[in-house]
């Protein structure tokens, strides 16, 4: 699937429903950062070996990752797409959590 045809660009539910935790080595300047890495200011430290994207740590109501731009369910983009952390890189529409996140945001499930 090409990026241009991705349903993710009109969704964003995962960015508004799921916690995004990763190793600090993926931060900007880290040994395992992709692209520019994740800016430190966009994260919250949890432990010496774990950070979380700001905005993904709330419970209950729909929240959103600090890097998410746009309107959920309409058109969205990630401000740090090329440097996004591994949980974001590994998540896709085939994962069962995709439709759970969509449901959490009031969006219909993607076709199976």
């Amino acid at each position: 699937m090409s990026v241009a045809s991705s349903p993710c660009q009109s969704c964003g539910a995962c960015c508004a429903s799921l916690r995004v935790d990763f190793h600090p080595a993926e931060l900007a300047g880290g040994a395992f950062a992709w692209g520019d890495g994740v800016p430190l200011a966009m994260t919250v430290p949890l432990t010496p070996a774990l950070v979380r994207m700001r905005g993904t740590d709330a419970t209950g109501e729909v929240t959103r990752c600090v890097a998410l731009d746009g309107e959920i369910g309409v058109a969205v983009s990630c401000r740090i797409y090329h440097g996004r952390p591994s949980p974001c890189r590994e998540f896709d529409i085939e994962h069962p959590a995709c439709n759970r996140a969509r449901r959490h945001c009031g969006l219909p499930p993607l076709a199976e």
Side-chain angles (χ1 to χ4, degrees):
M1 176 184 326
S2 72
V3 173
S5 66
S6 173
C8 300
Q9 291 181 309
S10 63
C11 182
C14 59
C15 304
S17 302
L18 305 174
R19 287 189 175 139
V20 180
D21 297 348
F22 56 98
H23 195 277
E26 296 184 51
L27 292 170
F32 295 104
W34 285 274
D36 291 334
V38 179
L40 181 61
M42 289 186 163
T43 65
V44 176
L46 298 176
T47 70
L50 202 61
V51 295
R52 179 174 292 157
M53 289 299 297
R54 286 189 184 277
T56 69
D57 54 353
T59 58
E61 297 272 330
V62 174
T63 59
R64 59 189 296 142
C65 177
V66 68
L68 182 67
D69 283 335
E71 185 178 345
I72 296 165
V74 178
V76 294
S77 63
C78 176
R79 283 186 275 157
I80 59 167
Y81 184 80
H82 294 291
R84 70 196 186 282
S86 55
C88 303
R89 292 174 180 279
E90 295 165 4
F91 193 83
D92 65 28
I93 62 174
E94 302 295 321
H95 196 287
C98 174
N99 279 333
R100 286 195 303 271
R102 289 178 62 82
R103 199 169 32 254
H104 180 78
C105 291
L107 300 173
L110 293 175
E112 306 269 332

